[in-house]
Amino acid sequence: MTPLILALLAGAVAGVSLGALGAGGSILTVPALVYLLGFTPAAATTASLVVVVVMSATALVAHARAGNVRWRAGLLFAAAGLLPAAGAGALSARVPAAVLTLLFAAVAALAGVHMLRRRTPRGSGTVSGARAVGAGAGLGAVTGFLGVGGGFLAVPALVTVLAVPMSAAVGTSLLVVGANALVALAGRAYTAVHLDLALLLPFLAAAVLGAWDGRRLAAKVPAGTLRRVFGAVLLAVAVAMGASAVL
């Protein structure tokens, strides 16, 4: 199978995940770029940020039109993560590939477990400024360092920390992760990382189209079934990446 076909297929799978579940797309993007398309871990996390920015912006428009974005809460949460995202983004390219791979495997495992055990988070009814800053900063650092959007972290944090209704949490999380990813990408602007655009652009195009298919899939297949399937895939990816970094 040619690299171009692999890029299209992998991008479609990542897009379907994001469209169907609102999370998981970027976590599948990094291992696909590394193990299928030959990107280095540093290049893959940078390329993943490009994917996160474009896909978040695309999906955000649809959620905003439906009135499912809480702009004030989202901007507050994103603001706390901007500096950590920029700093972590600049630092990531200087970390050894094996360490970066192990850290990414740990986050992928966390995401997989979260999808397998996911329950609807309940808001506390109160907004804690200190907790909002801490959660926003943590999410920004994860986004910048590992190139993942962090939707699986952002949604419950928005519900429990900023009391955003669950109906608007996914749309608002797109604003947060998109802003963090954009700043993290700017933080990597001066690092010497080569991106193979001949493969990245087809991957990105397939991911955007896959996200629309994912929304239709979500209407036909029970959400619990989709989460379990993607959770199992993420756990398998985490084990494979962890093993490759150690061996």
Side-chain angles (χ1 to χ4, degrees):
M1 193 175 294
T2 66
L4 177 59
I5 298 299
L6 286 174
L8 291 171
L9 291 175
V13 171
V16 167
S17 173
L18 182 66
L21 302 174
S26 59
I27 292 183
L28 293 175
T29 294
V30 172
L33 292 174
V34 172
Y35 297 108
L36 296 180
L37 303 180
F39 282 56
T40 65
T45 54
T46 300
S48 179
L49 289 171
V50 177
V51 175
V52 171
V53 169
V54 174
M55 293 184 66
S56 295
T58 302
L60 179 63
V61 172
H63 281 275
R65 288 176 177 173
N68 292 330
V69 179
R70 297 294 184 268
W71 295 98
R72 185 173 180 274
L75 290 172
L76 171 65
F77 201 81
L82 295 184
L83 286 179
L91 175 65
S92 179
R94 297 175 174 83
V95 174
V99 174
L100 197 62
T101 300
L102 280 174
L103 290 174
F104 189 92
V107 172
L110 176 63
V113 171
H114 172 78
M115 287 191 177
L116 290 173
R117 302 180 58 186
R118 182 176 177 181
R119 295 179 178 85
T120 302
R122 296 181 179 180
S124 62
T126 59
V127 176
S128 168
R131 289 178 63 197
V133 170
L139 179 64
V142 171
T143 299
F145 195 77
L146 296 178
V148 299
F152 71 100
L153 295 173
V155 171
L158 286 166
V159 173
T160 58
V161 177
L162 288 183
V164 174
M166 189 62 197
S167 60
V170 171
T172 307
S173 75
L174 292 168
L175 171 63
V176 175
V177 300
N180 284 338
L182 185 61
V183 171
L185 191 60
R188 299 187 184 205
Y190 299 102
T191 58
V193 175
H194 170 70
L195 299 182
D196 188 345
L197 295 181
L199 295 177
L200 178 58
L201 293 180
F203 184 102
L204 182 56
V208 172
L209 293 176
W212 290 103
D213 289 334
R215 293 189 186 92
R216 289 194 287 269
L217 180 64
K220 298 178 181 178
V221 180
T225 300
L226 288 172
R227 285 198 303 271
R228 285 189 290 271
V229 169
F230 280 108
V233 170
L234 285 175
L235 287 178
V237 166
V239 171
M241 293 187 74
S244 71
V246 173
L247 298 177

